[in-house]
Amino acid sequence: MTGAFDMRAIKTVACMAALAGLAACGNSSADEGGGGPLAILAQTATQAVTARRAEAPAPARSPEEAAAEALRVNPGPLIQAGFESLGRNQIMAMTGQNGSMRTYMTPSQEALILRDGMLVGTRGLGSDLSVAEPGTEALIRSGQAGSGTRVMRYFGGDGLERPLQFACTTAPGPNPGVIVESCQGHGTSFQNNYLVQGGQIPVSRQWIGPGLGYVTVQTLRP
């Protein structure tokens, strides 16, 4: 079963680009003892750097190739995140879970916090989202049209948390299973796209904030 899912995950990495294109038209630790997902990812990265120094430069790996390698070396839950403003894709391993909340992190300790696929926070990226409070979440997961309020909280340079409130609507997208959340407020507007399957969100394009812009998230292994 695991091998079959891994193949499906690799094949559906292309959904990330498709979704991005659509938008344009108690904590438990999983990394104790040095043998967890971060240690595996870090070890793989170190080996790759060593190999590159010893050999001629190799062509950059495609997202599909990166996903396949991550699935091969890491048995735990994984996501692939594409940060549009940063111009890069990251493989991120789950390092902690508290109920439905999961923290996914890179070896350099850049983190996304997801609740069953919905972005609720970031860490270590700069201009971080402290916490998101989406009043439209139930509508999105049930695939229904409606309206609600989304509150996004950010830390300022003075260390104080400042909430931004947005008025949002939800509606089915042009493709089956896709729900579009359109929000506006404070002189800006953004649109989140979610592929919803049984209330879960395996693929999405979500707005982090004015500093980081959009991230596209693909579940490689749940």
Side-chain angles (χ1 to χ4, degrees):
M1 289 293 291
T2 301
F5 179 83
D6 290 354
M7 289 304 297
R8 289 198 300 272
I10 295 168
K11 291 178 181 178
T12 55
V13 166
C15 289
M16 297 175 65
L19 203 55
L22 171 65
C25 331
N27 289 353
S28 60
S29 173
D31 200 35
E32 295 178 356
L38 277 187
I40 294 173
L41 284 179
Q43 180 181 7
T44 304
T46 301
Q47 292 171 347
V49 170
T50 303
R52 282 197 298 269
R53 287 175 177 171
E55 301 173 2
R61 290 185 301 176
S62 68
E64 292 83 359
E65 291 170 334
E69 175 65 9
L71 288 165
R72 184 183 69 81
V73 303
N74 196 320
L78 295 170
I79 62 172
Q80 188 167 48
F83 296 92
E84 296 181 15
S85 66
L86 302 177
R88 57 184 167 90
N89 288 295
Q90 297 280 151
I91 302 294
M92 308 180 83
M94 190 185 80
T95 59
Q97 182 170 7
N98 186 1
S100 61
M101 303 273 282
R102 288 183 169 188
T103 298
Y104 293 88
M105 192 174 289
T106 68
S108 57
Q109 300 194 6
E110 298 169 329
L112 294 181
I113 304 170
L114 305 178
R115 179 171 56 236
D116 291 331
M118 182 164 288
L119 181 69
V120 294
T122 70
R123 299 294 184 270
L125 291 164
S127 303
D128 280 310
L129 171 64
S130 173
V131 65
E133 301 166 2
T136 51
E137 184 170 359
L139 293 170
I140 292 166
R141 294 192 187 279
S142 62
Q144 297 181 6
S147 61
T149 298
R150 169 179 280 269
V151 178
M152 313 280 278
R153 300 181 184 274
Y154 302 91
F155 282 116
D158 54 6
L160 298 178
E161 189 180 70
R162 290 180 170 79
L164 298 179
Q165 183 170 305
F166 299 91
C168 303
T169 60
T170 63
N175 294 330
V178 174
I179 300 298
V180 178
E181 178 191 26
S182 302
C183 302
Q184 57 182 351
H186 304 277
T188 191
S189 62
F190 57 92
Q191 190 177 82
N192 295 328
N193 295 262
Y194 308 91
L195 178 64
V196 181
Q197 296 178 346
Q200 300 293 311
I201 303 171
V203 183
S204 64
R205 180 179 186 260
Q206 303 182 57
W207 191 70
I208 301 173
L212 288 169
Y214 288 94
V215 62
T216 306
V217 180
Q218 162 74 42
T219 299
L220 298 179
R221 182 185 291 125

